[in-house]
């Protein structure tokens, strides 16, 4: 390839980005302009891919952590033959296009992960890298791919990246290679106003292999660094000194090139400056097209060879190949819920975190794809898979990942596993610390990932650790996330249902809220049927025509059951356990009204939490919750102080029924 | 002081912690046992304090970032003469005691910050350190204190600490000195399973002065390191190799000593091992008492000297002294709201983020205590104080802080300022990224801090950046936090009210949700009165006896106003703007029903957000919101796709009114 053609290939990327942002009148041209040479090197010399099979297992992954530079990846996918057409590029940032403002998993073939919120992509990539290491260790399949990516200053300032990259260094994830777009400019100005740490030294401290390339346009130097990175057994960071908005005479190296179109005049000036035809926009010169046609042929050969190798491996290793298929399909047995239910006891007081422990052991036997761990809380969350080994550096055959006290990184790494699609990953920590990992929980919901977020210590009843550890608003805040299912089980049966539901749900994340404290066994009028629990809501007692329906979840179901006999006898009361509100909300209106006869019966919700989300269920009914922060005290003292004992709950319900007032306005 | 007495002093701390945890049957003895010598060195040789005046401005601050080791600080406060009695120690972790499970600001004199959620204390400390640097630079007062603290492995694993410490290094906060309790053990096991990064090198990369002390019991070596740290102009980390649970024959250096009582037998064994009397528990030997009495006298002298110096400074610098008082009292003029309102125009379309910019400039003139900045988004959040300079390393006289892309660290640093009490600090970022800073927002609410959290780009109408940047559940999730006030203003007047309310609110945090897009001016039937807005809710039109009340916030007020004439004419409709739901909920029931006549009129809420929090206002009424994620598209395309145009909103309201169905169950 001539230097001229190479330069043309690079400038094609730049001007596709510039023209698309210009047409949309919205977007980020500067990053693709600076990083075009790096992207060109990766895609033309290193990345192994097949545009016709974007999910080929042994492909190299490419993750654009600096997701605002989305036109870079759209341009590359277009040139590399993915199903991203010129019309798609022209529809950049338009409703329902394949080229949304930030890369979205599901929207675009070749986009491995939804990125944009800074720090997430590089942290997902750690999950991808570990997923591939574990896939190889567990199956022995011929996996030898790399996880590449480009990250920005903003990515590296975010704490989540610090957490995930520290763990990547610990785990010696040599298959992870990131180019750091060190352009010295961020949205608000030059990085010297706030980001003067020695990034290279920091990544060396994490145990990474770090190289610097002084000129972001030096194709050979970038290539050499990537070759070195592939050789080194550590994760690699290549600090690449680029120029934001390279080629723009007036906006290069200023934050004006970051998040706005160059504008008509500056686009013309930039085209002149780089010797590019002013017309047409969205130009891909013929020889550039030809070059990519050749590259696509070339990578296709690698793909075909691997397919042969893989087929051979499957024939030679039928058992391992069977495991591979099990992982890919994330198979679960048809009677999963029943089998999980068989792991728990229902006749003695127990904490749901302990039920969770029993269920997880069984689930891990039945579903080999399950892997996960906690943020340094195994002895409290009880989420260790006893039959599985520990995952450690150069020891990827285990199933238990020690995330450290890194909740945010944990969530993003778990999402990386889920994107990659070979494992069903779970994280675990205290419910309060879901606050530390909101961004990945939301991204799992946006990207419809099968990520499982286990939380224990789910209410003030955790006791003495006090308000900083006691959830109040967390249940509502998790339920508020679209496409998230939150399970708050009341006993072992519902705990089994929670895990079964999460394992069977392939198109979105699930979260569990388990108790620290022991719960009294429930009395069920019917038989204990895990399928009932799976519906998300069901009646515990048999009341055909209730005056009142009391709905409770988790620890408050037993509380409500104890309160029931103390409620004014003139009312017929149905008790509903609702371990998963989201499932109930998916029922038809008729089904909903059959269980919760709104308008006919009066409605009460009981949950040891903030409660503002319960009005959507009970409407003008009564919500018994907690409207302030918790306190450090033993469980029983708290039950009394927060009016959550059976007599107090019964008293509040009776009073409200007898007064007939609306609950949620003051008297 | 004899070596024997010194050892006795140190062991007193250890056994106060052991005995208190034992009595509570809950808590973390291991950390105080390991860190007792370090705490002893700090309090007996370095810390300048006055137990009778815990808020003395020039005191050295001590922040226990490893808040689970709370008995360490309670023991020190008790010994150092603070109002923490022996009875208080014996009430450790009991309801309403002065000694809750984790240190709580307000609960205990001498506790500078609520800690426990890991990473927060050290990040708050960065705020304290910057606050004191800025106080000194702005007033010239004789401030020469240090911010000390102890942090744990867990603190340093958390991303928030990475963010804050990187910024502390950049800002050269030489008044910040942290001892890192490097005990190699975390809750779930030894740190070598997950935390093998080179912590010292990492902190050197941040620009910190790093020292190692090999023996956590070596009092002289610790002392020498602290002396060096005070001399160095950079923030200091002292990596102290301690033994978790030091002195316990069977549990030292195991995670069993972390979060559970030692147990009766091991307590006895530990007392024997360290030569401590088995009885009585909670022993403070007489000579130890005597030592502390002497130390209290000693620090009192330093206090008295400083008071003289300060009084002299006040006399010599009356103007600066006046500024000092203004800062301490956080004075606001009586007509603050009116003055802020005078800064905005109401007659042309404008974005509330732009109104916010105008209001902030005025507010910064009127209230010198205001300081703050954004997470690298000034050009988008419009939160730069034009009259104020930039805060930079060795340049602390400014008012604009560049936090970098570090939302979580930003929130925790802002809280540090608020704890310290001299400034009214604000942060700024996009509303979506409130997800990155939930923990400090919650802690501000728990600790009743005057932290102000500015958010812009508050709905899907930010447009092309797409679902990863478009808030859906964030409004509900912020409103769900007890003691938080969220303002979502609909125009300039309400924006002025938002800032006025936040500046006048001294006992809790406020958050703002401002639009990216321009809003149409509101039509008010009465005069434009900022005091009306301050109430949190008011009627825009004059309808004495409405059939329907439509409640809206922010951008949806103008939308609802445009929809009003299109609603079925047979209904009389009152339009209520409710910029602050929390304020409305504090009204008496009668007041509430006067504006929102529940039971008499039918209720509708309109907000371009998830909406699950609105049922507590409208009960069985209709909530017009968004029940899925956003999409990348121009604003107008989104309004149409999400049914949030005036005709569509009017159509939905009319249909619902005419059908008479309950809104929040399916048909």
């Amino acid at each position: 390839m001539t230097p001229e053609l190479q330069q043309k290939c690079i400038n094609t990327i730049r001007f596709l980005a510039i023209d698309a942002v210009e047409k949309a009148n919205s977007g980020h041209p500067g990053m693709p302009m600076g990083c075009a040479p790096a992207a060109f090197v990766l895609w033309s010399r290193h990345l192994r891919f097949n545009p016709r099979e974007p999910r080929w297992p042994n492909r190299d992954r490419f993750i654009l952590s600096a997701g605002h530079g989305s036109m870079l990846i759209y341009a590359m996918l277009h040139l590399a033959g993915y199903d991203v057409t010129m019309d798609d590029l022209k529809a950049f940032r338009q409703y329902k296009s394949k080229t949304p403002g930030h890369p979205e998993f599901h929207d675009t073939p070749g986009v491995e992960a939804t990125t944009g919120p800074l720090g997430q992509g590089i942290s997902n990539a750690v999950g991808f890298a570990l997923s591939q290491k574990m896939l190889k260790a567990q199956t022995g399949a011929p996996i030898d791919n790399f996880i590449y990516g480009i990250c920005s200053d903003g990515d590296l300032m975010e704490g989540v990246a610090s957490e995930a990259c520290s763990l990547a260094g610990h785990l010696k994830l040599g298959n992870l290679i990131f180019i750091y777009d060190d352009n010295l400019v961020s949205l608000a100005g030059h990085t010297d106003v706030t980001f003067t740490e020695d990034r290279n030294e920091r990544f060396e401290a994490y145990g990474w292999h770090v190289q610097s390339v002084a000129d972001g346009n030096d194709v050979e130097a970038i290539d050499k660094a990537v070759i070195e990175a592939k050789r080194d057994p550590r994760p690699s960071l290549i600090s690449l000194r680029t120029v934001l908005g390279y080629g723009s005479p007036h906006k290069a190296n200023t934050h004006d090139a970051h998040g706005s179109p160059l504008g008509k005049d500056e686009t013309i000036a930039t085209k002149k400056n780089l010797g590019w035809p002013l017309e047409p926009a969205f130009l891909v010169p013929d020889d550039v097209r030809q070059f990519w046609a050749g590259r696509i042929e070339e990578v296709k050969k690698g793909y075909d060879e691997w397919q042969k190798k893989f087929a051979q491996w499957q024939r030679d290793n039928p058992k391992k190949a069977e495991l591979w298929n099990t992982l890919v399909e994330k198979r679960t047995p048809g009677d999963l819920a029943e089998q999980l239910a068989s792991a728990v006891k229902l006749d003695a007081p127990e904490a749901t975190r302990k039920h969770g422990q029993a269920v997880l052991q069984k689930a891990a036997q039945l579903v080999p794809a399950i892997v996960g761990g906690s943020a340094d809380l195994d002895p409290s969350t009880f989420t260790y898979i006893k039959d599985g080994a520990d995952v450690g550096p150069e020891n990827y055959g285990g199933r238990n990942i020690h995330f450290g006290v890194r909740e945010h990184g944990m969530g993003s790494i778990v999402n990386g596993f889920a994107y990659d699609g070979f494992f069903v990953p779970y994280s675990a920590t205290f419910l309060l610390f879901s606050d530390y990992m909101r961004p990945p929980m939301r991204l799992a919901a946006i990207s419809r990932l099968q990520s499982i977020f286990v939380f224990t210590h789910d209410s003030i009843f955790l006791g003495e650790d006090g308000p900083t550890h006691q959830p109040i608003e967390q249940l509502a805040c998790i339920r508020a996330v679209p496409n998230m299912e939150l399970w708050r089980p009341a006993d072992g049966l519902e705990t089994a249902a929670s895990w079964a539901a999460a394992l069977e749900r392939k198109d979105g994340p699930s979260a569990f809220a388990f108790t620290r404290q022991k719960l009294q066994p429930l009395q069920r009028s019917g038989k204990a049927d895990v399928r009932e629990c799976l519906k998300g809501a069901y009646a515990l007692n048999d009341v055909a025509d209730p005056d009142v329906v009391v709905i409770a979840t988790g620890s408050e179901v037993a509380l409500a059951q104890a309160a029931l006999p103390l409620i004014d006898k003139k009312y017929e009361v149905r008790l509903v356990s609702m371990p998963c509100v989201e499932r109930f909300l998916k029922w038809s209106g008729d089904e909903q009204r059959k269980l919760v006869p709104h308008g006919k019966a009066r409605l009460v919700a009981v949950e040891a939490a903030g409660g503002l989300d319960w009005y959507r269920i009970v409407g003008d009914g009564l919500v018994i919750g907690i409207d302030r922060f918790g306190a450090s005290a033993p469980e029983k003292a708290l039950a009394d102080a927060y009016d959550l004992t059976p007599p107090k709950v019964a008293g509040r319900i009776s009073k409200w029924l007898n007064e007939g007032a609306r609950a949620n306005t003051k008297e």
Side-chain angles (χ1 to χ4, degrees), chain A:
Chain A
M1 153 175 250
T2 64
E4 290 72 29
L5 176 57
Q6 184 170 285
Q7 200 52 48
K8 230 192 235 185
C9 284
I10 290 169
N11 284 339
T12 301
I13 302 166
R14 290 189 170 121
F15 287 105
L16 284 176
I18 291 170
D19 288 339
V21 171
E22 207 58 26
K23 181 163 192 298
N25 195 26
S26 168
H28 300 72
M31 185 275 185
M33 292 163 75
C35 285
F40 175 74
V41 169
L42 284 180
W43 288 75
S44 69
R45 302 191 186 184
H46 296 281
L47 235 68
R48 290 164 299 178
F49 60 95
N50 179 349
R52 294 296 121 213
E53 200 178 325
R55 298 287 291 172
W56 169 35
N58 197 44
R59 74 192 181 281
D60 292 329
R61 278 69 167 160
F62 175 79
I63 292 156
L64 187 68
S65 194
H68 54 275
S70 53
M71 265 311 301
L72 183 74
I73 192 167
Y74 299 146
M76 297 316 303
L77 292 171
H78 172 72
L79 294 169
Y82 284 77
D83 185 14
V84 177
T85 65
M86 187 53 84
D87 282 344
D88 293 326
L89 296 187
K90 290 178 180 171
F92 181 51
R93 294 188 152 227
Q94 302 309 302
Y95 189 55
K96 293 203 168 170
S97 80
K98 260 187 202 167
T99 49
H102 291 84
E104 303 283 340
F105 189 63
H106 289 304
D107 283 6
T108 320
V111 166
E112 303 277 359
T114 299
T115 54
L118 290 168
Q120 297 301 327
I122 187 168
S123 306
N124 296 152
V126 174
F128 276 92
L130 184 56
S131 165
Q132 287 298 301
K133 289 277 190 190
M134 287 170 64
L135 177 65
K136 181 169 182 171
Q138 296 195 3
T139 64
I143 293 290
D144 62 353
N145 50 18
F146 288 93
I147 316 300
Y148 294 100
I150 297 180
C151 65
S152 64
D153 294 303
D155 286 303
L156 298 194
M157 280 189 260
E158 292 285 6
V160 60
S162 297
E163 294 177 14
C165 292
S166 173
L167 191 59
H170 168 77
L171 290 172
K172 295 196 171 39
L173 300 177
N175 56 342
L176 180 64
I177 298 173
F178 255 77
I179 292 174
Y180 161 37
D181 175 23
D182 184 11
N183 61 26
L184 301 178
V185 182
S186 61
L187 187 146
H190 281 253
T191 54
D192 60 7
V193 302
T194 185
F195 193 43
T196 54
E197 60 169 52
D198 186 328
R199 282 82 93 174
N200 284 6
E201 188 184 357
R202 176 179 139 205
F203 272 77
E204 279 165 6
Y206 294 152
W208 285 50
H209 168 232
V210 179
Q211 303 173 78
S212 288
V213 174
D215 177 3
N217 284 307
D218 186 341
V219 163
E220 298 310 320
I222 297 169
D223 185 51
K224 191 163 161 286
V226 176
I227 291 168
E228 283 301 316
K230 284 153 88 169
R231 277 193 200 130
D232 198 279
R234 296 165 291 177
S236 277
L237 187 77
I238 300 170
S239 289
L240 184 67
R241 177 56 47 85
T242 61
V243 175
L244 184 79
Y246 178 86
S248 160
H250 307 103
K251 295 191 172 178
N253 201 27
T254 75
H255 68 262
D256 290 340
H258 173 81
S260 310
L262 292 184
K264 200 180 163 191
D265 293 347
E266 191 65 12
T267 298
I268 292 171
T270 305
K271 286 183 177 177
K272 283 184 179 162
N273 187 37
L274 293 182
W276 199 253
L278 299 187
E279 296 289 337
F282 294 93
L283 172 66
V284 180
D286 289 343
D287 45 357
V288 171
R289 280 265 181 245
Q290 221 165 351
F291 167 78
W292 283 107
R295 174 67 181 154
I296 294 163
E297 277 303 296
E298 192 182 341
V299 294
K300 178 72 166 54
K301 277 180 210 152
Y303 168 83
D304 291 338
E305 276 163 30
W306 187 86
Q307 291 293 21
K308 270 183 224 155
K309 207 157 116 186
F310 184 66
Q312 186 62 47
W313 171 81
Q314 284 177 307
R315 284 189 295 274
D316 296 346
N317 302 276
K319 276 205 165 168
K320 290 287 184 184
E322 173 62 18
L323 173 62
W324 172 284
N325 291 336
T326 308
L327 295 181
V328 171
E329 296 163 23
K330 297 194 214 68
R331 273 182 221 161
T332 52
D335 60 348
L336 176 66
E338 286 78 5
Q339 289 207 55
L340 297 183
S342 74
V344 294
K345 287 184 187 150
L346 300 179
D347 52 358
E350 191 53 281
T352 48
R353 64 174 171 155
K354 289 290 287 184
H355 288 307
Q357 180 181 37
V359 172
L360 172 60
Q361 305 314 312
K362 188 78 180 176
Q365 288 164 13
L366 298 171
V367 185
I370 297 176
V371 298
S374 76
D376 191 45
L377 284 173
D378 293 345
S380 289
T381 55
F382 297 124
T383 45
Y384 193 85
I385 299 174
K386 292 172 189 170
D387 288 344
D390 284 349
V391 173
E394 292 157 33
N395 171 24
Y396 307 108
R399 300 174 75 179
N400 291 292
I401 303 167
H402 294 279
F403 290 104
V405 188
R406 305 181 180 103
E407 297 84 5
H408 196 171
M410 173 171 69
S412 304
I413 291 169
V414 155
N415 283 354
F417 274 89
Y419 281 122
D420 204 36
F422 291 93
F423 294 98
V424 177
Y426 68 89
S427 68
T429 184
F430 294 163
L431 178 57
L432 197 285
F433 301 123
S434 62
D435 278 7
Y436 276 70
M437 47 192 291
R438 300 276 309 170
M441 293 177 70
R442 181 174 214 258
L443 283 163
I446 289 183
S447 297
R448 309 198 288 275
L449 303 179
Q450 192 176 11
S451 298
I452 300 177
F453 303 105
V454 182
F455 299 111
T456 66
H457 296 58
D458 75 339
S459 75
I460 59 164
F461 296 125
L462 62 86
E464 291 88 344
D465 275 346
T468 56
H469 284 55
Q470 289 163 332
I472 297 293
E473 71 277 24
Q474 282 65 27
L475 294 173
C477 291
I478 295 173
R479 291 184 181 125
V481 179
N483 195 35
M484 175 71 73
E485 285 194 353
L486 173 69
W487 290 85
R488 188 165 187 255
D491 71 351
L493 201 68
E494 293 187 5
T495 305
S498 308
W499 265 106
L503 291 170
E504 286 169 351
R505 180 170 202 238
K506 311 292 186 198
D507 60 351
S510 303
F512 305 149
F514 294 156
T515 65
R516 171 180 191 263
Q517 78 278 18
K518 287 191 178 182
L519 305 182
Q520 291 301 316
L522 299 184
Q523 280 107 50
R524 291 183 164 83
S525 60
K527 72 179 170 68
D529 181 358
V530 70
R531 295 277 151 194
E532 280 288 293
C533 307
L534 269 175
K535 292 181 187 164
Y538 62 99
L540 278 170
N541 59 357
D542 206 1
V543 177
D545 195 16
D547 305 301
V548 189
V549 176
V550 174
I551 308 162
T553 79
S555 46
E556 286 65 67
V557 180
L559 168 65
Q561 198 151 50
L564 235 52
L566 310 178
I567 295 172
D568 191 331
K569 294 285 180 293
K570 67 175 170 279
Y571 301 105
E572 291 277 333
V573 186
R574 175 182 292 165
L575 177 59
V576 168
S577 180
M578 195 178 284
C580 184
V581 175
E582 294 72 37
R583 295 234 158 167
F584 172 76
L585 291 173
K586 281 179 197 143
W587 295 8
S588 74
D590 279 347
E591 286 173 313
Q592 287 183 3
R593 281 184 291 270
K594 208 172 148 196
L595 183 66
V596 181
H598 191 274
K600 288 177 65 184
R602 300 190 66 190
L603 306 181
V604 179
V606 187
E607 189 170 75
L612 94 167
D613 52 320
W614 279 100
Y615 295 102
R616 81 179 147 170
I617 306 291
V618 305
D620 290 343
L622 174 69
V623 175
I624 294 180
I626 298 174
D627 63 358
R628 61 191 195 278
F629 289 111
S632 172
E635 180 194 343
K636 280 190 204 322
L638 291 170
D640 192 57
Y642 286 80
D643 298 331
L644 290 168
T645 61
K648 288 190 173 188
V649 167
R652 288 164 77 181
I653 294 173
S654 299
K655 181 168 182 281
W656 175 73
L657 289 171
N658 290 331
E659 288 176 356
R662 186 184 177 224
N664 51 341
T665 46
K666 290 183 193 167
E667 294 323 296

